[in-house]
Amino acid sequence: MTQADMLIETDALEQVRTIPITPSFQYMRPPRIYDPHLMPPDVARILRRRWNLSKHVIPPVAFHLARDVYVVEEGLVFTGDGHLVAASQADVPAHEIVRARATLQASLAQPASIPSHPRAILCKKRGAGNYGHWLAEMLPRAYVARQYLPDRDWPVVIHAVEGTLRTVMRESLHAVGITENRIIESGGAPVHFAELLVPSGLTAHAVFLSPLVMECMDFIADQVPPADIDALYIPRAPATTRDFEDEAAVRTVFEQHGYTTFAGSTMPFMEQVAMFRSARRVVGAMGAGLSNTLFCRPATEVLVFMPGNALELFYWLIAEGRKLDYHEVRTPQSGRMQGSLPWDRQLAITPAEVERMLARLEAGKPAFQLTDF
């Protein structure tokens, strides 16, 4: 039996609620790019195709009910005979699906050892250990379910993580009305659910973010008073990948231009929200911290430094969804790969070049447009 034969499409499940999005499309403008010549031709071609697609279709958001199923790994949903609910497989490579199915079958040899719950809403998916993915792709599931399915005040199942991210996940769930006794954590091992609500249509990574994601962010941001901040620099620390080669010197340049260095990793979630909601200028190297631009007000100026070869659309999608003034600086890279992606290296841009970019931006000079390369 092939992988395709082992899929359960959503139309085979009970449809609980469909939320139409009006209008069902979004007009988007290409980003303003600095130093686009640093993008390899194949990368530029792929990104240009997406950036030049001005009208993006936004699907309805739907919740379907799966019964007697198991959640494995980062949100894969299987039946006991190994069939996979298609809506749970987004972005998961085939070999990981095979591994998860094998894990389930091994666990079913001792079914009494598998934890079981009466019901839950699926709020975990691929990338569950990444703050940006949590904020944009998983947290909104809990918000939308609570707002649009008031008769289903069910627990949410989230991925089990450690440290600061675990705290932030809980604080953000509390902000959308999910109390502590309504949170179920599961790791890689199978967990059984008699009934599981499976959402679809809220996001597709690097493809679209539903307006309901933005509604979720506004719901949270409206709870905080404004912070006394105008401009934020978002450092990569404690992460080490895709950082500036001479971060200390680059940070000094930003601070000389009025940016306050943001210490997000040590700050309560709602304080982070308040700072991004209040800032009118945000700058930093591509990374999870910049996902907080989801809380920025329209017209906030956002400047993202990004490896020249990065196939990345996430921050642009956020900016278009929130109507931010988005600028992207492509940079050379140096050093060894420090992650799983070819652009997980250091940003080889000097403090003097950063100064040049900021001066150009402050002078109101346009960045290079897509037509320039």
Side-chain angles (χ1 to χ4, degrees), residues 259-278:
Y259 290 88
T260 298
T261 298
F262 176 68
S265 62
T266 61
M267 187 179 295
F269 173 71
M270 295 303 278
E271 289 185 23
Q272 298 183 42
V273 173
M275 294 190 76
F276 276 82
R277 192 62 158 185
S278 301

Side-chain angles (χ1 to χ4, degrees), residues 38-118:
L38 294 172
M39 288 190 285
D42 58 330
V43 170
R45 183 170 57 254
I46 293 168
L47 293 177
R48 188 191 297 116
R49 187 180 305 122
R50 287 296 315 283
W51 288 333
N52 283 344
L53 182 66
S54 61
K55 188 175 181 179
H56 293 244
V57 175
I58 306 295
V61 174
F63 286 85
H64 288 82
L65 183 61
R67 291 187 171 90
D68 192 19
V69 291
Y70 299 83
V71 175
V72 189
E73 300 287 354
E74 291 183 319
L76 291 169
V77 179
F78 290 97
T79 60
D81 61 3
H83 283 76
L84 174 67
V85 173
S88 72
Q89 71 169 342
D91 307 318
V92 182
H95 73 274
E96 292 189 13
I97 294 173
V98 170
R99 183 184 67 199
R101 184 178 284 116
T103 298
L104 173 61
Q105 296 307 312
S107 297
L108 286 171
Q110 295 181 306
S113 67
I114 300 177
S116 184
H117 299 272

Side-chain angles (χ1 to χ4, degrees), residues 166-219:
R166 184 176 187 270
T167 301
V168 166
M169 288 168 68
R170 283 175 138 67
E171 290 175 348
S172 58
L173 283 169
H174 298 164
V176 299
I178 307 299
T179 55
E180 193 66 26
N181 65 335
R182 287 287 188 267
I183 300 173
I184 298 170
E185 286 186 332
S186 74
V191 177
H192 175 261
F193 293 90
E195 295 183 303
L196 185 72
L197 279 175
V198 181
S200 61
L202 266 172
T203 64
H205 188 69
V207 179
F208 72 88
L209 293 170
S210 171
L212 293 185
V213 172
M214 305 308 164
E215 182 183 306
C216 171
M217 302 305 137
D218 286 335
F219 179 87

Side-chain angles (χ1 to χ4, degrees), residues 94-367:
H95 73 274
E96 292 189 13
I97 294 173
V98 170
R99 183 184 67 199
R101 184 178 284 116
T103 298
L104 173 61
Q105 296 307 312
S107 297
L108 286 171
Q110 295 181 306
S113 67
I114 300 177
S116 184
H117 299 272
R119 59 188 60 89
I121 301 160
L122 183 67
C123 293
K124 57 185 285 185
K125 65 179 291 293
R126 175 78 167 178
N130 178 282
Y131 172 69
H133 289 274
W134 162 255
L135 193 63
E137 300 178 349
M138 287 164 259
L139 176 63
R141 296 179 174 201
Y143 165 81
V144 173
R146 185 166 178 79
Q147 294 294 320
Y148 292 87
L149 299 173
D151 59 331
R152 305 261 180 166
D153 186 21
W154 291 9
V156 298
V157 56
I158 64 173
H159 197 59
V161 297
E162 300 294 333
T164 302
L165 180 57
R166 184 176 187 270
T167 301
V168 166
M169 288 168 68
R170 283 175 138 67
E171 290 175 348
S172 58
L173 283 169
H174 298 164
V176 299
I178 307 299
T179 55
E180 193 66 26
N181 65 335
R182 287 287 188 267
I183 300 173
I184 298 170
E185 286 186 332
S186 74
V191 177
H192 175 261
F193 293 90
E195 295 183 303
L196 185 72
L197 279 175
V198 181
S200 61
L202 266 172
T203 64
H205 188 69
V207 179
F208 72 88
L209 293 170
S210 171
L212 293 185
V213 172
M214 305 308 164
E215 182 183 306
C216 171
M217 302 305 137
D218 286 335
F219 179 87
I220 295 170
D222 287 346
Q223 300 174 44
V224 298
D228 184 18
I229 197 79
D230 174 68
L232 285 175
Y233 160 53
I234 317 303
R236 286 286 290 143
T240 57
T241 58
R242 300 187 307 277
D243 204 353
F244 297 104
E245 273 187 318
D246 191 350
E247 193 278 334
V250 169
R251 185 189 334 130
T252 297
V253 171
F254 289 138
E255 291 175 347
Q256 289 171 346
H257 282 260
Y259 290 88
T260 298
T261 298
F262 176 68
S265 62
T266 61
M267 187 179 295
F269 173 71
M270 295 303 278
E271 289 185 23
Q272 298 183 42
V273 173
M275 294 190 76
F276 276 82
R277 192 62 158 185
S278 301
R280 302 307 297 169
R281 295 182 295 153
V282 178
V283 66
M286 163 186 159
L290 284 170
S291 304
N292 278 332
T293 54
L294 279 161
F295 300 111
C296 287
R297 291 173 290 169
T300 299
E301 180 186 277
V302 176
L303 181 62
V304 178
F305 289 80
M306 187 177 296
N309 62 339
L311 274 169
E312 183 58 75
L313 294 161
F314 182 57
Y315 307 99
W316 170 67
L317 288 172
I318 292 174
E320 286 302 296
R322 296 218 61 85
K323 304 306 177 190
L324 309 179
D325 181 18
Y326 181 77
H327 305 254
E328 192 172 290
V329 179
R330 292 287 172 155
T331 75
Q333 294 177 270
S334 66
R336 61 180 179 83
M337 267 181 59
Q338 296 177 301
S340 60
L341 299 170
W343 49 86
D344 285 339
R345 298 165 62 205
Q346 300 301 85
L347 304 184
I349 183 169
T350 67
E353 290 170 320
V354 172
E355 174 75 44
R356 174 175 64 87
M357 294 295 175
L358 293 178
R360 183 177 179 179
L361 193 62
E362 291 165 2
K365 294 181 180 178

